[in-house]
Amino acid sequence: MATQYFKNIPKIQYEGPDSKNPFAFKYYNPDEIVEGKSMRDHLRFSIVYWHTFINPLADPFGMGTAVRPWDDGSNTVKNAQKRVRVAFELFEKLGADFYAFHDRDVAPEASTLAQTNKNLDSVVKVMKEEQERTGIKPLWGTACLFAHPRYVHGAATSCNADVFAYAAAQVKKAIEVTHELGGAGYTFWGGREGYTSLLNTDMKREQEHMARFMHMAAEHKKKIGFKGQFYIEPKPKEPTKHQYDFDAATCINFLREFDLLKHFKLNIEANHATLAGHTVEHDLEVSANAGALGSIDANTGDTLLGWDTDQFPTDIYLTAKIMLILLKTGGFKTGGLNFDAKVRRESYEPTDLVHAHVGGMDAFARGLKIAAAIRADGRLDKFVKDRYSSWDSGIGEKIESGKASFADLEKYMIKKGKPSPNKSGRQEYLENIFNELII
Ligand code: XUL
Ligand code: CO
């Protein structure tokens, strides 16, 4: 039963780059084939429940501005069930195949865990109906382990063992619900897993607890037969001063140290990477190199603001660079482009939700086409290959294959006298090629 809250908005269709219709795709043509695969299968767009349907668009200085005519403002199951129908109306109109949710986005928390779980089940029933009606499924589910005051000191890293136990119970249920809904994955973003002062923190013990938590989650996943992919989502700060899952490299080190790498991949969020002082491409490469690139939270920050502004990605250089790495690494398996993004506080009407997603989807479709054009052109790839050609034979090959010792290299260099001359890195020339292929 579809609602009619976006009735003035048509189902968004592809009209091509010449269209001036704000409610049409200019670049995202779901069935168009790029490098042998449809755009829809390359991009696997997902819409987040929290920013799109829950976020009131408040900031630290002012209350929420969002106008959401379907919402009666009550924290009731009935209101939550209605919201599901509205959410699916928007997912359908945008032609997104996936969505992502926290347990507490979709259903209200009650005063006991038992009642909270019942509330969740009542809403999940409606989610299932809407999924059956539309074929839209969760890209991933997750648990909100950061909003309630019980999580003031963290969840899996809380100093209070009872809070750890509560969080475990909450995640158990959230994984079960994600499984029931046929989710392709489940994400752990370390909400308040970190610290604000080392004076009151036993960091080693907290991280060991976090690892124990993850192992228990993996055991439970196996027990219930959930086949979806587990992800960790790095973020360096916010809400704590120092989040334990700082960036991709830190997460991979944690997963290796605690023998968890086989259970997890990473969900890289663009704005989190920039908060860590990296580009998103950097964190994607680090993940891919460890065989751990799983999914992407597709958003962007603001160059003038140093916090997690979670803006919709519209910069085609950014989307092209992301898609270049994705194509290079063989594309998504279980993951997708999840718009963990919110409209600005000033963009408070329901229509703004449509403009935001249409823009983000088009920016990624364009990024995909640019990335494919760069790969077809081949000059960038060839340049990098040639740049490392000294490793393909001779002394380079010997070093790479482990057949050379320090003594061998000393002998080699004493005989040769000096290294062969270096060549220019040609960064500007390569940037020019990139620009030439922005279509
Ligand atoms: C917070 C963030 C989360 C996770 C899911 O910065 O990105 O919304 O994606 O908990
Ligand atoms: Co995110």
Side-chain angles (χ1 to χ4, degrees), residues 50 140 233 267 269 272 297 340:
W50 52 99
W140 46 262
E233 182 178 324
N267 176 36
E269 177 161 327
H272 294 179
D297 269 11
D340 191 355

Side-chain angles (χ1 to χ4, degrees), residues 370-414:
I370 295 164
I374 289 172
R375 279 157 60 82
D377 173 85
R379 275 175 290 170
L380 289 188
D381 268 353
K382 182 169 182 312
F383 185 89
V384 176
K385 201 170 177 312
D386 291 348
R387 189 163 185 243
Y388 291 87
S389 59
S390 69
W391 294 91
D392 295 337
S393 60
I395 197 70
E397 191 188 11
K398 270 204 189 113
I399 299 171
E400 271 198 357
S401 58
K403 287 186 194 126
S405 65
F406 264 21
D408 296 332
L409 299 184
E410 183 190 47
K411 208 164 127 203
Y412 168 79
M413 250 321 137
I414 283 176

Side-chain angles (χ1 to χ4, degrees), residues 3-10 12 22-23 47 51-57 65-71 83 86-87 89-91 93-94 312 341-359:
T3 49
Q4 289 267 304
Y5 281 96
F6 293 90
K7 63 170 169 293
N8 296 328
I9 313 270
I12 310 295
F23 300 115
I47 297 177
H51 284 318
T52 316
F53 292 101
I54 307 299
N55 195 326
L57 306 181
T65 57
V67 175
R68 305 289 180 247
W70 52 83
D71 210 305
R83 206 185 281 129
V86 180
E89 183 189 345
L90 183 66
F91 302 159
K93 290 227 153 142
L94 288 166
F312 276 84
K342 59 181 183 237
V343 289
R344 298 302 83 196
R345 186 169 182 266
E346 299 83 353
S347 307
Y348 43 78
E349 294 178 356
T351 312
D352 294 305
L353 296 172
V354 180
H355 292 309
H357 286 92
V358 167

Side-chain angles (χ1 to χ4, degrees), residues 56-184:
L57 306 181
D59 71 14
F61 302 92
M63 56 189 74
T65 57
V67 175
R68 305 289 180 247
W70 52 83
D71 210 305
D72 66 17
S74 72
N75 201 24
T76 57
V77 167
K78 194 161 163 265
N79 194 28
Q81 287 173 325
K82 182 174 180 192
R83 206 185 281 129
V84 174
R85 310 267 187 215
V86 180
F88 275 78
E89 183 189 345
L90 183 66
F91 302 159
E92 252 195 313
K93 290 227 153 142
L94 288 166
D97 292 327
F98 300 96
Y99 68 103
F101 68 99
H102 297 86
D103 49 1
R104 303 298 174 251
D105 303 335
V106 293
E109 177 147 10
S111 55
T112 64
L113 182 61
Q115 184 56 47
T116 303
N117 286 349
K118 273 194 196 141
N119 288 357
L120 187 52
D121 288 335
S122 310
V123 180
V124 165
K125 202 170 134 271
V126 182
M127 291 160 83
K128 263 171 123 173
E129 280 173 26
E130 288 295 300
Q131 286 194 187
E132 270 155 34
R133 185 179 69 72
T134 60
I136 299 165
K137 288 197 162 174
L139 186 69
W140 46 262
T142 189
C144 177
L145 303 178
F146 43 91
H148 194 280
R150 80 173 70 84
Y151 295 124
V152 61
H153 301 307
T157 64
S158 175
C159 46
N160 179 347
D162 263 5
V163 171
F164 181 107
Y166 196 104
Q170 197 181 322
V171 168
K172 173 181 177 289
K173 178 71 178 172
I175 296 172
E176 287 164 3
V177 158
T178 305
H179 180 36
E180 190 180 342
L181 292 169

Side-chain angles (χ1 to χ4, degrees), residues 48 50-51 102 140 187 189 233-235 267-270 272 296-299 308 310 338-341:
V48 304
W50 52 99
H51 284 318
H102 297 86
W140 46 262
T187 291
W189 167 61
E233 182 178 324
K235 184 174 185 180
N267 176 36
I268 299 298
E269 177 161 327
H272 294 179
I296 295 179
D297 269 11
N299 64 10
D308 194 17
D310 279 341
N338 179 50
F339 289 114
D340 191 355

